[in-house]
Amino acid sequence: MLDLMRRLPPTNVEENVNALIQICPDYADDLLGSVDQPLKVKIDRATGKDYLACDYNRDGDSYRSPWSNEYDPPIEDGTAPTPKLRKLEIAANEAFDTYRELYYEGGVSSVYLWDLEDGGFAGVVLLKKAMTPTSPDEPSGSWDSIHVFETAERGRQAHYKLTSTVMLELVTKQNNKADETSVLGEPEKKASEQGWKSSGEITLSGSMTRQTEQDWPVHEPTSHITNMGKMIEEMEMKMRNLLQEVYFGKTRDIVYDLRSVDDLEKARRQRELQRELVGFIKR
């Protein structure tokens, strides 16, 4: 099933996962835990703050808020971190909320922590920024970052394993203003008929996953937040540069090879001029 998901359009991942769950309900938990989906924004009823919902803060059909530590819809005996880990979770949410504001200038962030059986703990840092168009010709899209980490303390050192996934969706439209002239005696056209007409649309979407492991010193419990913040900051910068230089650059090269931006007649004249110059040089 995972191999099938990799071959389906990434823009329809939610619909594809729901369809597979209906076909094979016994594999629902495995699919929800293995397939990365776009993060959903929910509102904490107790605090009024936005938070992100994913499989890591889900218990059944309810999602836990990092701000109030309550589930929505409410459930009894929902999974929650220990008081010591909950204190660290609150501090991590405050720290990454500042990180989100500095790097994303908006969006939503959430951090969730849980204990591991071997004595360490794990967590996930979620970041989402959506771009909502205000007019038909403006681009739209979203950026979703999912950083899952595991921590194992070894004396005054801690070993961190980080798995980062970025999901990007970008839709750009090229519109032409329709001709608004009307013939005398005919009724005026509707706004939809004489407004903007789409002449082209490009949808670019996909996901990328990278892993890294590092050892950092731990002087106090809050040192984990500093250490993970450095790793996530470095990872996001690398992934942004990789998207910009490799993925966007390669897409641009392919598009320019398929479609000529310059006038074809102008290009033909340039080729003829080059051939004439080569002929003069050979003489």
Side-chain angles (χ1 to χ4, degrees):
M1 289 188 181
L2 296 178
D3 189 56
L4 175 62
M5 287 298 304
R6 282 191 287 267
R7 285 164 170 75
L8 293 173
T11 52
N12 302 328
V13 62
E14 293 182 78
E15 294 82 354
N16 296 332
V17 169
N18 293 332
L20 288 175
I21 290 176
Q22 293 179 359
I23 297 173
C24 304
D26 295 337
Y27 295 95
D29 292 335
D30 294 334
L31 281 171
L32 293 174
S34 303
V35 179
D36 293 316
Q37 301 185 57
L39 302 172
K40 298 179 180 179
V41 180
K42 292 184 174 292
I43 300 177
D44 188 337
R45 297 181 180 180
T47 62
K49 294 184 177 180
D50 294 336
Y51 68 95
L52 297 173
C54 67
D55 190 62
Y56 295 100
N57 67 320
R58 179 179 64 88
D59 193 337
D61 295 329
S62 300
Y63 294 92
R64 182 174 67 90
S65 167
W67 307 114
S68 63
N69 203 29
E70 297 179 356
Y71 278 90
D72 184 24
I75 59 174
E76 296 181 359
D77 300 328
T79 304
T82 59
K84 179 181 178 181
L85 198 60
R86 172 58 185 163
K87 183 179 179 181
L88 186 63
E89 185 182 75
I90 294 174
N93 274 281
E94 294 175 353
F96 278 98
D97 190 54
T98 303
Y99 171 88
R100 170 199 57 78
E101 189 62 35
L102 291 174
Y103 278 91
Y104 290 82
E105 298 181 354
V108 185
S109 65
S110 295
V111 181
Y112 302 100
L113 305 179
W114 61 89
D115 293 291
L116 298 176
E117 296 179 357
D118 59 0
F121 71 93
V124 61
V125 178
L126 308 174
L127 297 158
K128 183 181 182 69
K129 177 68 178 292
M131 181 171 53
T132 304
T134 57
S135 62
D137 61 323
E138 289 188 359
S140 62
S142 63
W143 173 288
D144 297 78
S145 293
I146 304 175
H147 303 279
V148 183
F149 64 90
E150 295 181 4
T151 304
E153 295 187 7
R154 301 169 181 173
R156 293 183 176 273
Q157 293 278 333
H159 180 75
Y160 300 92
K161 181 180 180 181
L162 176 65
T163 303
S164 299
T165 300
V166 168
M167 290 176 287
L168 175 67
E169 181 180 1
L170 183 63
V171 180
T172 59
K173 297 180 181 180
Q174 182 67 36
N175 300 295
N176 291 327
K177 196 72 175 294
D179 187 6
E180 297 182 358
T181 57
S182 59
V183 180
L184 184 62
E186 293 184 357
E188 294 184 358
K189 294 182 179 180
K190 297 181 180 179
S192 60
E193 295 178 357
Q194 60 181 11
W196 289 88
K197 291 186 177 180
S198 177
S199 61
E201 179 176 310
I202 297 177
T203 301
L204 179 64
S205 62
S207 63
M208 178 173 57
T209 302
R210 294 293 183 270
Q211 288 184 338
T212 185
E213 296 187 28
Q214 295 181 13
D215 292 325
W216 289 87
V218 177
H219 305 290
E220 54 184 0
T222 54
S223 297
H224 293 297
I225 301 176
T226 304
N227 297 338
M228 286 308 308
K230 293 178 181 178
M231 293 181 65
I232 290 175
E233 182 181 22
E234 181 181 357
M235 179 65 76
E236 284 208 330
M237 291 181 65
K238 289 181 178 179
M239 298 179 80
R240 285 196 194 102
N241 293 334
L242 188 61
L243 283 170
Q244 180 179 353
E245 297 175 5
V246 179
Y247 290 86
F248 286 139
K250 189 64 176 178
T251 301
R252 183 175 60 250
D253 294 341
I254 293 174
V255 171
Y256 286 172
D257 288 342
L258 294 176
R259 178 179 179 273
S260 175
V261 179
D262 297 329
D263 186 15
L264 294 178
E265 181 64 22
K266 181 180 179 181
R268 185 183 63 81
R269 292 176 180 176
Q270 289 179 349
R271 288 194 297 269
E272 291 179 353
L273 180 59
Q274 289 176 355
R275 284 196 294 266
E276 291 179 3
L277 292 175
V278 172
F280 287 130
I281 293 173
K282 289 181 179 180
R283 293 176 185 177

